[in-house]
């Protein structure tokens, strides 16, 4: 199937297909009965995330460039549907919810993005809860909870039953959009106002370009996916209520570097495997079952 290391395999019982990705930058699928190669597609980088939707025959492939490719598979051919990129690091894990038609992607940039594909709104929600790369994702459909595990040893259980908000795009400006102080590359305004240029920052809530003095506060914004405190401008800090700071995720320490997670809904067990060659079975109370 591949000319280099195989990264991921999926067996689709309904189609009798075996899907696979490898370091050779190829996605392929084979017939599980005959072993015949049915088709393939070359990705932009080595692929390390793979998910499949049985109903629509769409396959999702995440690669090291941070891109997710969506392909439509037929019996012996495939067509490119679209590609999207929201991570600054490579995609390390994918998880598909066929009921809500939502795709989750984890990345080496420590973040998770929820892509609302079925809603047809183009919504992309960021989730920030890890201090190292996200390495595996699982989803509990009956409780609508996303489980993410990372190289930091953390297990984060996200409540996806709340109405979350998209993070704003960062705005461009040559001066602080709060106090109008010039940024250090704005030579003309520095000369005209006889002021030293300042470093540019961005408020995570409104996206405005601000200086350090106008964004001296920090706050968590759970509904935007920021479970940790992040930089916000002073006016946004005053507008965030205690109710809006209420966490939407729970954090658990697995005490090992997790490379894979699996949730067994019938037993309520959470299975993790780590780089320490240890397999652990988590307790039911992680998901409050």
């Amino acid at each position: 199937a591949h000319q280099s290391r195989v990264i991921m395999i999926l067996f689709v019982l309904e189609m009798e297909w075996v899907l696979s990705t490898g370091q050779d930058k190829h996605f392929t699928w084979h017939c599980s009965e005959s072993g015949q190669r049915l088709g393939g597609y070359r990705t932009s980088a080595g692929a390390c995330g793979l998910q499949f939707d049985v109903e629509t025959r769409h396959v999702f492939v995440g690669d090291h460039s941070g891109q997710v490719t969506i392909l439509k598979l037929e019996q012996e051919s495939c067509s490119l549907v679209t590609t999207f990129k929201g991570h600054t690091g490579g995609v390390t894990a994918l998880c598909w919810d066929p009921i809500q038609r939502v795709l989750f992607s984890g990345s080496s940039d420590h973040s998770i993005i929820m892509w609302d594909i079925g809603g047809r709104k183009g919504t992309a929600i960021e989730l920030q809860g890890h201090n190292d790369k996200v390495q595996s994702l699982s989803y509990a459909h009956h409780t609508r909870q996303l489980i993410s595990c990372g190289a930091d040893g953390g297990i984060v259980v996200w409540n996806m039953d709340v109405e979350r908000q998209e993070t704003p795009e960062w705005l461009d400006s040559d001066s602080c959009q709060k106090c109008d102080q010039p940024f250090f590359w704005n030579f003309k305004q520095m000369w005209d106002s006889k002021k030293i240029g300042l470093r540019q920052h961005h408020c995570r809530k409104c996206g405005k370009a601000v200086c350090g003095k106008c964004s001296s506060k920090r706050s968590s914004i759970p509904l935007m996916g920021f479970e940790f405190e992040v930089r916000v401008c002073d006016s946004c800090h005053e507008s965030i209520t205690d109710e809006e700071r209420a966490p939407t995720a729970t954090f658990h320490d697995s005490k090992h570097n997790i490379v894979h997670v699996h949730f067994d809904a019938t037993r309520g067990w959470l299975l993790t495997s780590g780089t320490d060659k240890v397999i652990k079975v988590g307790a039911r109370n992680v998901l409050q079952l």
Side-chain angles (χ1 to χ4, degrees):
H2 297 278
Q3 300 299 315
S4 187
R5 177 185 172 191
V6 176
I7 302 299
M8 289 200 71
I9 291 178
L10 280 181
F11 172 53
V12 184
L13 177 62
E14 295 86 348
M15 315 300 300
E16 295 178 342
W17 287 347
V18 176
L19 316 179
S20 61
T21 61
Q23 285 186 338
D24 57 1
K25 301 181 182 179
H26 273 89
F27 159 74
T28 65
W29 72 103
H30 289 69
C31 174
S32 61
E33 289 194 322
S34 67
Q36 178 185 357
R37 186 180 188 273
L38 300 176
Y41 182 87
R42 183 175 175 84
T43 57
S44 60
C48 44
L50 181 62
Q51 291 286 282
F52 182 73
D53 181 58
V54 175
E55 181 182 346
T56 62
R57 297 189 183 183
H58 285 143
V59 65
F60 307 94
V61 183
D63 62 44
H64 289 296
S65 73
Q67 179 173 282
V68 177
T69 301
I70 303 179
L71 304 170
K72 171 78 171 183
L73 299 191
E74 303 298 343
Q75 186 61 32
E76 296 183 1
S77 66
C78 74
S79 56
L80 176 64
V81 177
T82 188
T83 60
F84 44 82
K85 185 173 182 179
H87 291 288
T88 56
V91 174
T92 51
L94 291 179
C95 183
W96 171 245
D97 174 14
I99 299 174
Q100 301 294 325
R101 309 203 64 76
V102 168
L103 180 70
F104 300 97
S105 61
S107 172
S108 58
D109 63 9
H110 310 179
S111 73
I112 302 163
I113 296 180
M114 181 186 80
W115 306 90
D116 181 14
I117 295 174
R120 301 181 182 275
K121 296 179 180 178
T123 305
I125 306 295
E126 289 186 41
L127 303 174
Q128 301 278 354
H130 286 277
N131 294 311
D132 206 333
K133 64 180 177 179
V134 179
Q135 301 203 121
S136 188
L137 299 170
S138 185
Y139 190 72
H141 299 278
H142 60 301
T143 56
R144 293 195 65 185
Q145 290 173 300
L146 176 70
I147 307 158
S148 62
C149 299
D152 55 3
I155 300 175
V156 184
V157 181
W158 305 86
N159 179 11
M160 302 310 299
D161 204 25
V162 297
E163 187 174 349
R164 296 182 177 274
Q165 305 168 20
E166 274 192 297
T167 52
E169 291 187 12
W170 286 2
L171 302 177
D172 293 326
S173 179
D174 290 329
S175 58
C176 176
Q177 293 181 300
K178 293 294 182 179
C179 68
D180 202 37
Q181 282 273 84
F183 294 133
F184 63 82
W185 61 82
N186 189 351
F187 299 111
K188 184 179 186 304
Q189 188 176 346
M190 282 193 294
W191 178 263
D192 294 341
S193 62
K194 302 296 187 291
K195 293 179 180 178
I196 298 176
L198 303 175
R199 183 183 174 188
Q200 176 184 264
H201 300 282
H202 283 91
C203 173
R204 300 303 190 271
K205 190 173 190 300
C206 67
K208 289 183 178 180
V210 291
C211 65
K213 184 178 179 181
C214 294
S215 58
S216 59
K217 303 292 196 324
R218 301 290 185 274
S219 176
S220 60
I221 319 174
L223 293 181
M224 283 187 168
F226 297 113
E227 293 290 334
F228 304 147
E229 290 191 345
V230 291
R231 181 185 295 273
V232 293
C233 65
D234 293 352
S235 57
C236 282
H237 186 270
E238 293 176 2
S239 69
I240 301 173
T241 64
D242 291 339
E243 289 78 12
E244 291 176 315
R245 291 189 177 93
T248 61
T250 59
F251 297 82
H252 312 269
D253 186 7
S254 69
K255 301 189 184 303
H256 69 159
N257 180 335
I258 300 174
V259 295
H260 183 72
V261 62
H262 173 73
F263 175 63
D264 184 348
T266 59
R267 297 182 178 91
W269 288 355
L270 189 69
L271 182 97
T272 62
S273 59
T275 55
D276 54 3
K277 303 180 182 179
V278 174
I279 297 174
K280 296 184 179 182
V281 179
R284 295 171 182 262
N285 60 2
V286 172
L287 290 178
Q288 299 177 347
L289 299 177

